[in-house]
Amino acid sequence: MDYRKLLKKYEEQWHYLIVGCMTTLINYVLYFLLNFIGVHYILGNVLAWAGAVAFAYFANGAWVYRSTSQRSIREATAFVLSRLFSLGLETVCLAVMVEWAGMGEYLSKIIVGVIVVVVNYLTGLLVYKKGV
C-alpha cells in the first residue's frame, strides 16, 4: 500500500488531528493550571476553552479546512457558536461525571475530550465548507 496516497486522501483529517491535538493540549494545560491554582473546575473549563478556541479558529481555517475566505466576523461567529455547542456538551458531561458519578476532574476532562473532538470536527465542516 502506498502510504503517500493514503495520507493525501485523508490529508484534511490528518491536519485536523494535528491541530486538534495542539488545541486539546492548549485546553488541558490551561485547565490543569487553572485547577491547580484553585479555580473552580467549571470556570477553569470555560477559560481553557476560550484560549483553545482562539487558537483553533485560525489554525483550522488556514490549515485544516483551507478556507480561502478572509477571516470574517460571520465566519468567526459561526465557529464560536459551533464551539459553544461543544462547550455546553463538554460542561454538562464534565459536571455529570464529577458531581453525579464521583469521577475525578482530570479523568473526566480527558474522557469528555474524546467526544468533543468528534463533535468539533463535524461542526467545523459546517463552518468552513459551505454546502456540507
Side-chain angles (χ1 to χ4, degrees):
M1 174 175 254
D2 186 1
Y3 292 103
R4 287 176 290 201
K5 286 182 183 179
L6 190 61
L7 287 174
K8 185 67 178 166
K9 180 178 179 180
Y10 295 105
E11 181 178 35
E12 181 177 283
Q13 288 80 11
W14 285 110
H15 286 181
Y16 179 77
L17 182 63
I18 293 166
V19 169
C21 286
M22 292 167 53
T23 301
T24 301
L25 180 63
I26 291 167
N27 186 311
Y28 284 14
V29 166
L30 290 173
Y31 177 78
F32 293 145
L33 286 173
L34 290 166
N35 190 276
F36 180 75
I37 63 170
V39 175
H40 188 272
Y41 74 94
I42 295 293
L43 178 58
N45 187 57
V46 172
L47 294 173
W49 170 86
V53 166
F55 167 78
Y57 170 66
F58 292 103
N60 279 312
W63 198 53
V64 176
Y65 302 107
R66 298 194 189 269
S67 173
T68 56
S69 68
Q70 296 293 326
R71 304 284 74 89
S72 67
I73 295 296
R74 183 177 187 169
E75 184 182 77
T77 300
F79 186 81
V80 170
L81 287 175
S82 75
R83 292 308 198 258
L84 277 172
F85 171 75
S86 65
L87 172 64
L89 176 67
E90 180 179 28
T91 303
V92 167
C93 290
L94 193 58
V96 165
M97 293 172 87
V98 172
E99 300 296 331
W100 294 350
M103 294 178 66
E105 296 167 17
Y106 297 145
L107 177 60
S108 298
K109 175 77 172 170
I110 291 168
I111 292 170
V112 170
V114 174
I115 298 165
V116 170
V117 166
V118 174
V119 169
N120 284 344
Y121 176 74
L122 297 173
T123 58
L125 288 172
L126 297 173
V127 171
Y128 293 109
K129 295 191 173 194
K130 299 358 175 223
V132 171

